[in-house]
Amino acid sequence: MRHSVVAGLGSALPKRRVTNDELAQSVDTSDKWIVERTGIRSRFIASDGETTGSLATEAARRALEHAGIDAGEIDLIVLATATPDQTFPSTATKVQAALGVNDCIAFDVHAVCTGFLYALSVADAMLRAGSANKALVIGAETFSRILDWEDRATCVLFGDGAGALVLSAEETEGGILSTKLHADGRHNDLLFVDGGPSTTGTVGKLRMKGREVFRHAVVNLAEVLNEVLESAGLTAADVDWVVPHQANARILDATAKKLGLPSEKMVVTVDSHANTSAASVPLAFDTAVKDGRIKRGDVVVLEAMGGGFTWGAAALRY
Ligand code: UT7
């Protein structure tokens, strides 16, 4: 049986780190409010010249290096983003060109903060079906470009960054064990951008009813985590690490409690990265692999929830 094995990981952050105190100089907020309500202490913000595509390319290069795989071996690139460099072509093809990969399948996937789970699931299915053998799965965002910097309820929550996984199809047990995806478009108006090429003709700004999103997030994430564990034939006791979407430390605590998982098993990077949407799961995954927490053979569960609503989870043996 072919399985998609995680051969390597990489991530990239913009150069500029912005603290809560720095934000409090331009919007009516405080380090105390942001830390207490979200757990966020700082975030990285892209400067001119740093784009979703450039961060994605840097993350992809690091993942290839970690995997010990040459870019020329990649035959599939799936890139999750809600903030592409341009309306078209896809940012995946920009990464492809930057890496010097001449011919492969390359496309973007858009499921906002759940984008990386959608991209991973699509790439896994294509690898298992034999459509490709080595894939780059990337989550990359520059949400700073779609924030309303006068809306304190949203502008303090997000950051920019990218994370990438190299998946390799192998005749082996392990790798990605199960993925589960969901969407419910009835909640479009709780988290959205008020622009787009086919409506206003502008890029638009992010709008969110935070408290309602929070309520749905805890319920949906606990449900999809139980669903993915059951489908992988695992229980919560088998899980070594959960790598959650990094939206709010309080959501992470509430989800862990609902599942009966000790909070030490949750990888938390929201304090230093804030919410980087589709980049947050691979960015946190790479951080925990590189600092030695997640080791080869560990059972790792990934989860995310975001605009749409969309939500999903994946269980894998690293
Ligand atoms: O990645 C997609 C998924 N997104 C999420 O998961 C986000 C989920 N939601 C959340 O994380 C939380 O709902 C927030 C962090 C966005 C907000 O926390 P909250 O505890 O739900 O606060 P709230 O929106 O109910 O606001 C409480 C108060 C309000 O003041 P009043 O009306 O009580 O006087 C806000 O105006 O806090 C005020 N407030 C702020 N105060 C200082 C809102 N933003 C700020 C701010 N600084 N930045």
Side-chain angles (χ1 to χ4, degrees), residues 29 33 37-38 113 152-153 210-211 213 245 247-248 250-251 275:
T29 188
W33 190 94
R37 299 291 179 121
T38 71
C113 298
R152 67 176 183 173
R211 195 176 285 186
V213 176
H245 172 48
N248 185 323
R250 284 156 54 215
I251 296 181
N275 182 345

Side-chain angles (χ1 to χ4, degrees), residues 127-306:
L127 290 185
R128 282 188 291 107
S131 312
N133 292 309
K134 297 243 178 323
L136 264 170
V137 187
I138 306 170
E141 303 276 18
T142 43
F143 259 46
S144 62
R145 307 264 156 81
I146 54 163
L147 294 175
D148 176 350
W149 287 100
E150 288 176 2
D151 175 15
R152 67 176 183 173
T154 54
C155 76
V156 304
L157 304 174
F158 296 90
D160 302 332
L165 258 63
V166 176
L167 289 184
S168 176
E170 310 280 347
E171 295 286 342
T172 177
E173 290 304 308
I176 296 178
L177 306 170
S178 178
T179 62
K180 293 285 168 193
L181 302 174
H182 294 275
D184 184 348
R186 287 174 299 175
H187 302 297
N188 274 184
D189 60 338
L190 296 181
L191 177 50
F192 65 100
V193 168
D194 61 4
S198 181
T199 51
T200 60
T202 60
V203 172
K205 301 285 181 211
L206 181 146
R207 308 289 171 206
M208 177 166 73
K209 294 189 180 134
R211 195 176 285 186
E212 288 171 66
V213 176
F214 189 110
R215 202 165 40 81
H216 283 278
V218 176
V219 174
N220 291 345
L221 289 172
E223 269 177 26
V224 77
L225 280 166
N226 280 324
E227 194 186 355
V228 86
L229 287 178
E230 192 183 323
S231 133
L234 300 168
T235 67
D238 299 316
V239 176
D240 294 301
W241 292 101
V242 179
V243 182
H245 172 48
Q246 309 286 321
N248 185 323
R250 284 156 54 215
I251 296 181
L252 307 189
D253 288 344
T255 311
K257 234 179 234 139
K258 253 187 178 285
L259 284 169
L261 274 170
S263 54
E264 303 83 67
K265 287 192 175 186
M266 305 290 270
V267 173
V268 180
T269 57
V270 69
D271 51 338
S272 53
H273 298 158
N275 182 345
T276 57
S277 183
S280 98
V281 169
L283 194 47
F285 194 177
D286 181 49
T287 303
V289 166
K290 299 291 165 63
D291 70 19
R293 272 179 288 176
I294 297 179
K295 297 186 176 58
R296 282 288 172 196
D298 281 354
V299 171
V300 181
V301 177
L302 317 176
E303 52 94 321
M305 144 100 194

Side-chain angles (χ1 to χ4, degrees), residues 100-113:
V101 181
N102 288 336
D103 185 12
C104 76
I105 305 166
F107 58 95
D108 288 0
V109 161
H110 186 346
V112 207
C113 298

